[in-house]
Amino acid sequence: MVTDLTAEQLAQRALDVNVVSEDEMRGAWGEAGTQNVDYEQFKQILVRRGLLTNFQLERIEQGYRTGFVYGDYKVLYLVGAGTFARVYRAAHRHTNELFALKVLRKSKSEDPTEADLFRREGELGMQLKHPNIVAIHEVASKGKMHYIVMDFVEGHNLRDFFKVRGKFEPLEAARITEGM
């Protein structure tokens, strides 16, 4: 993406949206050796140091001011999106542990009924404890921002697997259902 941002403007935006700390940014400036560094060069430093992901950079360059942090979780990148919510890979800000963050879409969060359904989904899911069910750790609502924190599971979901395969033989379907 072509941008007219300077390295200093990028740094300030990253600080403003709370994806990097002052200390982390000082370290990046230290590596650059000067605040008069080329934008692309500084951007590479931030990515190489793990301070920003390409997803975060793109959103910062596009001028987004929200959607970077939810509670104690920093969004790293988009995993998937549906009509009801978006799912992000996120890191806990203090432990760096990775989670999936399901965030109710803004258009749905305006409707109290939709927001309540989303919260109830999370609360019911928290009660389910089984090795084949993704664990839900937190259900949060802050104003019109609603999100669910759950384990991040690598791989594809059953729907995508089915799209590729087209069908399952009865024995295979039984094994999948049983969780083997």
Side-chain angles (χ1 to χ4, degrees), residues 10 14 17 19-20 39 42-61 67-68 74-78 88-91 98:
L10 172 61
V17 298
V19 290
V20 296
Y39 175 82
F42 190 62
K43 186 166 93 167
Q44 289 174 8
I45 290 170
L46 294 173
V47 171
R48 186 175 55 250
R49 292 177 72 96
L51 300 178
L52 291 179
T53 64
N54 288 322
F55 175 78
Q56 293 164 334
L57 274 168
E58 186 177 303
R59 290 181 59 87
I60 287 170
E61 289 173 343
F68 293 91
K74 178 168 65 169
V75 169
L76 302 176
Y77 61 83
L78 180 68
Y88 300 96
R89 186 171 189 163
L98 297 176

Side-chain angles (χ1 to χ4, degrees), residues 5-163:
L5 289 176
T6 65
E8 284 188 345
Q9 289 170 324
L10 172 61
Q12 190 57 56
R13 285 187 183 185
L15 288 166
D16 289 347
V17 298
N18 207 19
V19 290
V20 296
S21 70
E22 294 276 350
D23 285 343
E24 291 169 328
M25 195 56 74
R26 272 193 290 280
W29 284 123
E31 183 176 329
T34 176
Q35 287 193 336
N36 198 20
V37 67
D38 173 70
Y39 175 82
E40 287 298 321
Q41 186 181 357
F42 190 62
K43 186 166 93 167
Q44 289 174 8
I45 290 170
L46 294 173
V47 171
R48 186 175 55 250
R49 292 177 72 96
L51 300 178
L52 291 179
T53 64
N54 288 322
F55 175 78
Q56 293 164 334
L57 274 168
E58 186 177 303
R59 290 181 59 87
I60 287 170
E61 289 173 343
Q62 292 171 349
Y64 283 89
R65 310 278 300 155
T66 61
F68 293 91
V69 176
Y70 293 87
D72 286 330
Y73 304 90
K74 178 168 65 169
V75 169
L76 302 176
Y77 61 83
L78 180 68
V79 174
T83 55
F84 200 59
R86 289 187 173 102
V87 178
Y88 300 96
R89 186 171 189 163
H92 191 278
R93 293 178 64 80
H94 305 294
T95 66
N96 283 328
E97 190 176 355
L98 297 176
F99 292 93
L101 196 65
K102 186 174 185 179
V103 180
L104 185 63
R105 285 183 174 271
K106 188 176 180 180
S107 61
K108 301 292 183 184
S109 65
E110 302 289 328
D111 181 346
T113 304
E114 298 278 9
D116 189 49
L117 280 171
F118 183 79
R119 276 192 308 279
R120 281 192 292 162
E121 170 193 328
E123 289 163 359
L124 288 171
M126 281 182 83
Q127 297 172 24
L128 300 174
K129 306 293 182 204
H130 188 276
N132 297 338
I133 297 175
V134 175
I136 294 176
H137 302 284
E138 182 180 339
V139 179
S141 291
K142 294 179 172 97
K144 292 189 178 180
M145 178 177 63
H146 311 280
Y147 60 93
I148 298 171
V149 179
M150 52 193 138
D151 285 345
F152 187 86
V153 179
E154 294 284 352
H156 300 284
N157 63 36
L158 185 59
R159 180 182 348 181
D160 293 340
F161 188 54
F162 182 76
K163 283 181 185 176

